Each structure stands twice: as C-alpha cells, then as structure tokens.
Amino acid sequence: MVDSPKAVGIDLGTTYSAVAYIDEANRPQTLVNGEGDLITPSAVFFDGQDIIVGKEAIKAIASHAPHVADCSKRDLGQKRYHKTIEGREYPPEAIQGFVLSKLKQDAERLIGDFQKVVITVPAYFDEVKRKATQDSGYMAGLDVLDIINEPTAAAIAYGYHQGILNPEKKASESQRILVYDLGGGTFDVTVMEIRDQEFITLATDGDVLLGGRDWDQRIVNFVAEHFLAEHNIDPRNDPCAEGRLWRDAEDAKRTLSAREKVSIVCDYQGNASRVELTRDQFEEMTGDLMDRTEFTTRQTLQASGLGWGEIDLILTVGGSTRMPMVEAMLTKLSGKKPDRSLSADEAVAHGAAIRAQTILQESRGEPPPLRIKNVNSHSLGIVATDQKTSRHRNAILIPRNTSLPATARRTFKSQREGQKSVLINIIEGESDSPENCTRLGQCEVRDLPDNLAIHTPIEVRFRYLQNGRLTISVNVEGKEKQHEITRENSLSLTQLDGWRDYIHGFDTGA
Ligand code: AMP
C-alpha cells in the first residue's frame, strides 16, 4: 500500500472506464477492479435494493434491460435524458456518479482511501458536459482536482514512455502529434505540440455522438433485418432480446478486428437465425462512419495550420482504433503508419494519473514536471439582437481553438435610469443561430447599484479556465464581483448533495 497523499487518474468512458495511480517507482499503473479486470463497463444495474456497476450490469441487459443504464456519458448535460427506473428518475450525472463510486471503492481496496482525482473528458466536450462530469465526481464523494482532455492525457502517457517527463533528460526537439481517439461513444481528434515538458494543444475537433456503439448498431440492424426477413418478427422490439443482440454484435465486431469473418446467432421467441458477416461487408456498412472521422481529421489538421509533412507522429487511442479500418484510413490519408504503442485501454487513465501527481507536487511547492496548454473546443457567445432584422444571433466572444485561459469582455450600457438588472444568455457553438448552439445558461446581473444613471457601463468578463470551465465576473462603477451562471441543464447544489448522500448509501464495489 502507498501511504503518501494519493490522487488517482480516472478515464470515465462511455462504455468502459479505467483507474490508474503512480506507484512507488513513479510509474503509472492501472488499478484492477474488484473483478480483477483492467477496465470496468460504465453500466449500472438497479436490482431492487441493490445497485450493481460493471460487468454484472452488462450481463443483466440480457434479462433486465429496462433496469440497466449504460452509455450515460452521451446524455450528460441534457435534462431530458433522465432515465426512469422503478419510478425513480436518474439524471445522467448520478448514473456516472454510481460508476465513479464503484471505481473509487474498488481502487481503495488496493491503495487505501483517497478523494483526489483527475477525470478525463473528450476534448470536444462543451462546458455544460464538463461541469456535469465534475458534478458526477462530487456525487461519488470525490474531490475533482482537474478535468483534462482525453487526447492530452494520452499524449502525456506517450511523453512518459518517451522519457520526456524525466527532468534529467536533456530537452528534446519539439514533436507535433495528431491524436486520433475513437472510443465507445465519442470521437476526438487533436493536434498537439510537445515542447520540452509542455503539452500544447494547437487544434481540436470531434463528435460526442460517434464511437464504437455506432459500429455495433450497424451489426445489430444487419442481424435484426436478417432475422425479420426470415421469421417475420423483429428482436429489436423486445428490450432484452435487443440487449443480447447488442452484446453479441459488440463481440462480433471485436472478432472482426482479428479475423476475416464471424457468425452471429440470434435467438428469439423460439426462432433462430445464423448470420455470417465478413470484415469487408462490415467495413462497407460502416464506411460513412469512418468517413466522418476522416473529414474531422482533415479539418482539425487544417485548423492547426499544419500539413501532414509537419506531423511527426499519429497516435491512436480508444478501444475502437483496434478496428483495422482505422489504421488503413489514417495511413492512406497521411502517408504515415499510426503509432499504436500505447495501450488503447489504459493510456488515458495513465496520463490522468500523471497529471494528478503533478498537481500534488505543485501543491507541495515542487516544480511541475509537465505543463498543459489547452484550447476551447467550442466558441463562446452570447445571444444578441441584430439591429437591422431584430433577429437573435450568436455574438461570438471567444472563438474556438483559442489558447486557454482566455478572457473576453463585453460592455453593456444600462438602458434606463435606476435599472436593477441585466440578463445575458450564454451559448456555445459555431452557428450564427442561437437555436443551433448549446445553451450554457443565463447570467442575470441583479444587484446593480441603486439609482444607477442611464448609460452606465456594465462590464461583463467571461473567462475560460485551462480545464474548459467558464467563470463570469461583472464590473460596475469600478467594483468587480464574481457572478454565478444560472444553468438550465445542471442540478442545483441541494440536488447534488442529495445525490451524494444517496450514492454514498450504496456499496457499489465488487
Ligand atoms: P474505450 O472507450 O476507449 O474503452 O473504447 C471502447 C470501445 O472500443 C467499445 O466500443 C469497444 O467495443 C471497442 N473495442 C474494444 N476492443 C475492440 C476491438 N478489438 N475491435 C474493435 N473494437 C473494440
């Protein structure tokens, strides 16, 4: 057991999660869960009075599908995606909170109690989803020291293996790397530069609704259509039969990464179909998904201002990069073979663990062995009214891919004598139309000084922190005050505390 203050790194994935810490020899190590596995399925089974997280929850989909919540990471920050199980509504943050609670309890059996963690998020996560992730950590009784982007974490793990983080090693040439991260539910591509011990993100883009699950879905539909044609009934109409089909589809997909063909058997209501699927067929039926990642990869490279000739290395992370079509596409696109030396399942958690350790070192006054420079993945804007057309539009204050921390100021003028408040609607996104952007919330400046003269400047300062979170301060007549954002899609502090107590009451460990 390690007894110095502990901080661990958590890769909280859509389909699988992993936990790592830094051992006595200063090496990142994955902590196996209570079942002895390196990764834990991010699924929760509500079994009457018990709450079961991980492998058993995935198995329960075959018999109790309506009682299992999985892939909640995709729903973070969206109010309408609360899951109702046995009459109780669970926000996605709480489901992720149960997953984190299991990861914490299992890891504590190996390294003793801890609270401090660094959690990773897709680089393309917006501010609302980042806050929701921090809230999940809070609900699980964790102290979230930082949230860092998954590709950055992977690059840190790469840097560690290259000896870049070793202070005795002479500063090496800077390296430019493209991280292609295709996980279970999200896709990210990030262009980074590693210079000395600094990890600088140059550009990032992605899709929070694209991942291995979408490849699985194509196999599910392929088999179900076949079954329907043969027996005139659709197994997708029964949640448990559909759950079994998803499980077998994922299994078949993994087989196709190693073999040229696979057979999938679908059993439903006393009928059975055996369907054969070749790798070529699979690649054809998912070609459009691959094209989407290719398009984003091209765009991100362009946004970084670099050409393929200036990229030293392509790093692939995320379980779905084991599909041979990923390597083939990247090699064709760039003329370079991607580097697959990092463990696709563990690299992100290892990078997070290294980051967690550096935060502890910094708090002890030691020089940090690495520095991170991030960019924002979505433009920050406010809803403005077009003077000519009176239509609402997105007035962008901090464009995407701006180096963080970043600040923007906007001065409003009071419109009448004695005005008491100003309301600002804050959004994230690239579209000119606010309806197509993510509503982050409102900043209602209510406590303006009494008897404020008309046309008094009210300066609002928006500041993105390094972790992609937003803070707001307001300056009126020389007095600056931090300002709360009223969020539409977040839980209140009282709700968070309620969930924290509720989750704490369950033994979710193995
Ligand atoms: P991650 O979020 O990085 O843990 O990635 C999980 C995703 O990787 C899931 O969709 C898995 O089905 C997928 N995956 C894991 N191993 C393989 C494999 N050998 N071939 C294809 N996909 C895989």
Side-chain angles (χ1 to χ4, degrees):
M1 284 218 185
V2 183
D3 40 45
S4 55
K6 277 164 244 130
V8 308
I10 301 183
D11 170 8
L12 182 61
T14 311
T15 48
Y16 294 94
S17 296
V19 185
Y21 83 121
I22 305 298
D23 70 8
E24 293 90 337
N26 241 353
R27 288 174 312 211
Q29 299 283 358
T30 308
L31 289 162
V32 294
N33 64 15
E35 292 81 16
D37 299 322
L38 290 172
I39 53 174
T40 302
S42 312
V44 184
F45 174 30
F46 296 86
D47 184 21
Q49 295 305 305
D50 294 326
I51 290 186
I52 300 165
V53 179
K55 199 150 77 177
E56 290 305 310
I58 291 290
K59 282 191 199 155
I61 295 177
S63 52
H64 296 80
H67 288 195
V68 180
D70 65 345
C71 295
S72 297
K73 183 170 168 178
R74 282 192 159 183
D75 303 333
L76 281 178
Q78 306 203 45
K79 217 172 196 166
R80 59 184 186 279
Y81 282 100
H82 287 204
K83 181 137 182 148
T84 306
I85 296 174
E86 289 174 339
R88 192 179 181 118
E89 253 200 28
Y90 293 90
E93 292 95 315
I95 294 169
Q96 293 289 81
F98 277 114
V99 174
L100 286 169
S101 171
K102 146 100 175 159
L103 299 174
K104 177 176 190 285
Q105 289 183 26
D106 282 1
E108 284 181 338
R109 288 175 191 216
L110 300 174
I111 60 164
D113 290 355
F114 66 87
Q115 264 89 42
K116 297 185 188 316
V117 295
V118 167
I119 304 179
T120 59
V121 292
Y124 203 58
F125 251 23
D126 59 33
E127 209 270 353
V128 176
K129 290 178 190 291
R130 284 169 194 264
K131 168 161 180 7
T133 305
Q134 283 181 320
D135 288 347
S136 300
Y138 178 79
M139 289 182 197
L142 295 167
D143 172 9
V144 184
L145 298 175
D146 198 5
I147 41 175
I148 63 167
N149 293 344
E150 289 160 12
T152 306
I156 292 172
Y158 168 79
Y160 167 81
H161 287 292
Q162 297 295 309
I164 293 171
L165 303 183
N166 183 350
E168 274 136 46
K169 202 174 164 190
K170 238 177 100 253
S172 53
E173 294 274 293
S174 73
Q175 284 193 62
R176 279 145 173 191
I177 63 176
L178 182 137
V179 186
Y180 176 102
D181 180 0
L182 188 61
T186 55
F187 169 65
D188 263 344
V189 50
T190 298
V191 178
M192 300 191 73
E193 183 166 348
I194 309 180
R195 201 189 304 138
D196 300 329
Q197 271 96 23
E198 196 161 30
F199 293 76
I200 307 156
T201 299
L202 302 177
T204 192
D205 202 343
D207 193 331
V208 284
L209 293 176
L210 181 64
R213 286 284 285 185
D214 300 288
W215 272 259
D216 301 344
Q217 171 102 64
R218 297 290 163 88
I219 303 182
V220 167
N221 289 344
F222 174 73
V223 178
E225 293 295 335
H226 200 93
F227 191 94
L228 184 63
E230 217 171 302
H231 305 291
N232 216 18
I233 36 174
D234 192 335
R236 288 169 296 189
N237 293 336
D238 174 342
C240 293
E242 193 189 17
R244 287 193 292 276
L245 199 48
W246 272 96
R247 182 195 61 196
D248 296 343
E250 201 223 354
D251 214 38
K253 176 187 72 175
R254 287 175 187 251
T255 303
L256 286 175
S257 294
R259 301 166 65 106
E260 289 296 330
K261 68 175 180 208
V262 66
S263 289
I264 307 150
V265 176
C266 179
D267 230 322
Y268 179 51
Q269 289 189 349
N271 300 293
S273 282
R274 187 186 165 88
V275 186
E276 197 165 272
L277 180 64
T278 66
R279 190 190 286 168
D280 284 347
Q281 276 174 304
F282 177 51
E283 292 187 351
E284 203 183 306
M285 68 169 74
T286 55
D288 60 311
L289 302 175
M290 221 42 240
D291 289 349
R292 276 166 65 186
T293 76
E294 180 181 334
F295 178 77
T296 307
T297 306
R298 283 179 199 276
Q299 277 209 322
T300 314
L301 187 71
Q302 198 179 18
S304 74
L306 301 175
W308 284 115
E310 292 154 294
I311 296 290
D312 300 302
L313 183 87
I314 300 173
L315 207 56
T316 56
V317 272
S320 300
T321 59
R322 294 199 179 98
M323 294 187 293
M325 63 180 102
V326 171
E327 183 173 318
M329 181 279 284
L330 287 171
T331 309
K332 189 160 168 239
L333 182 66
S334 66
K336 298 174 206 285
K337 215 168 146 65
D339 180 309
R340 297 179 60 203
S341 60
L342 286 180
S343 159
D345 294 325
E346 299 170 276
V348 170
H350 285 191
I354 296 170
R355 170 67 184 143
Q357 194 199 34
T358 65
I359 295 173
L360 290 186
Q361 286 170 322
E362 277 179 68
S363 69
R364 292 195 294 263
E366 296 168 26
L370 67 91
R371 291 173 307 280
I372 294 175
K373 272 217 163 115
N374 195 7
V375 297
N376 57 330
S377 51
H378 301 267
S379 298
L380 179 82
I382 55 173
V383 178
T385 307
D386 192 298
Q387 298 289 347
K388 283 196 203 120
T389 62
S390 300
R391 292 177 89 153
H392 283 161
R393 62 176 186 84
N394 175 11
I396 291 181
L397 300 178
I398 305 179
R400 61 183 301 196
N401 284 328
T402 302
S403 190
L404 300 183
T407 303
R409 286 185 177 80
R410 188 86 175 194
T411 303
F412 300 85
K413 288 219 170 113
S414 59
Q415 297 295 305
R416 50 181 195 283
E417 218 59 66
Q419 185 169 333
K420 292 307 291 177
S421 64
V422 176
L423 186 67
I424 306 154
N425 283 299
I426 310 157
I427 51 181
E428 272 191 326
E430 314 316 312
S431 168
D432 192 42
S433 155
E435 287 80 56
N436 299 329
C437 296
T438 302
R439 289 180 74 88
L440 209 142
Q442 291 188 326
C443 175
E444 190 176 4
V445 186
R446 278 174 201 244
D447 42 5
L448 291 176
D450 287 339
N451 308 320
L452 199 68
I454 188 167
H455 297 151
T456 305
I458 302 163
E459 188 189 84
V460 182
R461 198 170 79 133
F462 302 84
R463 188 172 159 83
Y464 265 131
L465 308 177
Q466 189 62 256
N467 62 10
R469 291 294 319 279
L470 181 72
T471 60
I472 292 186
S473 57
V474 178
N475 188 326
V476 186
E477 295 180 332
K479 284 201 195 94
E480 177 147 345
K481 253 174 77 176
Q482 205 66 18
H483 216 281
E484 282 300 312
I485 304 168
T486 313
R487 292 166 178 275
E488 280 172 31
N489 292 318
S490 292
L491 302 175
S492 67
L493 197 56
T494 316
Q495 287 171 313
L496 288 178
D497 282 333
W499 281 110
R500 188 173 160 113
D501 290 345
Y502 185 70
I503 293 173
H504 187 70
F506 288 92
D507 181 7
T508 45

